[in-house]
Amino acid sequence: MSKNLERFVRDNRAAFDTERPSENAWTAIERALGHTPQKKKVHRLKPVWMAAAAVLLILATIYTYSLFTAAGDGRREAALPVTNGNGYIAALDPVYAAEVTKFTALIDEKQAELQSLQDDDPALYEKFSNDIQKLDSTYSLLKNQLPVNPNKEELLQAMIWNLQLQINLLNQQLDIIQKIKHSNSHSL
């Protein structure tokens, strides 16, 4: 008898599968069991935020690596420059030290020119100063990493590149100031 029933069900399966439960059946079952269905939000990061997170992760990794390698062999204190300024860089590579000295002197000169704006337009001066400060803080970070970083050549190149960026930014800022002054003198 059971074989006949199995054969009947198998032969007529299509006729049995005509009825489908409603879309709300699972919701009703969950409600009956005391569960409330929850919709899950999917949060997607924008590419800009993903890139920023990646850069931050890389910087944190480099910083942590340099701390552990310096702390592990006790060289951190001994490797720090004894003299202020570019003494440590000069000991590593005199050519880079000369470039750093030349660029920092040029930056100081251009920043002195920029200070003339402080009285005329304090808000613009503050904006310009903040932009330069961001680059300068990156330069300081690179300089602090120099004694403990095994890739001193690459780090020195990055420091020179940062100084060049600062000079370019200062030149652009001074050009803007000149245009503003020129525009103000012609409008009077």
Side-chain angles (χ1 to χ4, degrees):
M1 169 108 178
S2 72
K3 288 187 180 188
N4 290 336
L5 180 62
E6 285 178 22
R7 189 175 339 142
F8 177 77
V9 170
R10 187 180 57 232
D11 293 342
N12 297 304
R13 179 172 280 289
F16 290 120
D17 287 343
T18 59
E19 297 296 320
R20 301 257 183 232
S22 72
E23 294 293 325
N24 296 327
W26 282 114
T27 307
I29 292 170
E30 286 178 340
R31 226 180 273 131
L33 293 174
H35 297 288
T36 57
Q38 298 175 354
K39 293 184 179 181
K40 295 182 180 180
K41 279 189 170 180
V42 176
H43 296 283
R44 299 193 192 279
L45 290 177
K46 293 182 180 180
V48 172
W49 289 110
M50 289 173 48
V55 168
L56 186 60
L57 181 64
I58 290 169
L59 287 175
T61 303
I62 290 169
Y63 180 73
T64 304
Y65 172 77
S66 67
L67 282 179
F68 281 112
T69 57
D73 59 10
R75 290 183 305 156
R76 184 164 179 76
E77 293 301 320
L80 291 175
V82 177
T83 61
N84 60 2
N86 301 321
Y88 184 74
I89 298 171
L92 284 176
D93 190 329
V95 174
Y96 278 117
E99 283 187 63
V100 167
T101 302
K102 179 179 76 172
F103 287 144
T104 53
L106 193 55
I107 288 169
D108 290 342
E109 177 185 313
K110 291 188 180 293
Q111 283 182 333
E113 286 180 52
L114 189 61
Q115 274 192 320
S116 68
L117 177 67
Q118 188 172 8
D119 294 333
D120 298 338
D121 193 344
L124 186 60
Y125 175 76
E126 184 177 336
K127 170 75 173 112
F128 284 174
S129 294
N130 288 339
D131 292 342
I132 287 294
Q133 183 60 37
K134 289 175 188 173
L135 283 174
D136 192 47
S137 65
T138 302
Y139 176 80
S140 295
L141 177 69
L142 292 170
K143 191 173 182 178
N144 289 337
Q145 290 295 316
L146 189 59
V148 294
N149 193 306
N151 299 322
K152 294 186 184 341
E153 177 83 19
E154 290 177 13
L155 199 56
L156 285 168
Q157 289 174 355
M159 290 169 63
I160 296 293
W161 185 66
N162 180 285
L163 291 172
Q164 289 171 335
L165 283 175
Q166 287 185 47
I167 290 169
N168 290 340
L169 181 60
L170 283 164
N171 283 334
Q172 290 174 358
Q173 291 173 343
L174 291 170
D175 285 344
I176 291 170
I177 292 169
Q178 290 299 327
K179 288 178 184 176
I180 290 171
K181 286 182 180 180
H182 183 71
S183 173
N184 287 344
S185 68
H186 279 34
S187 65
L188 293 176

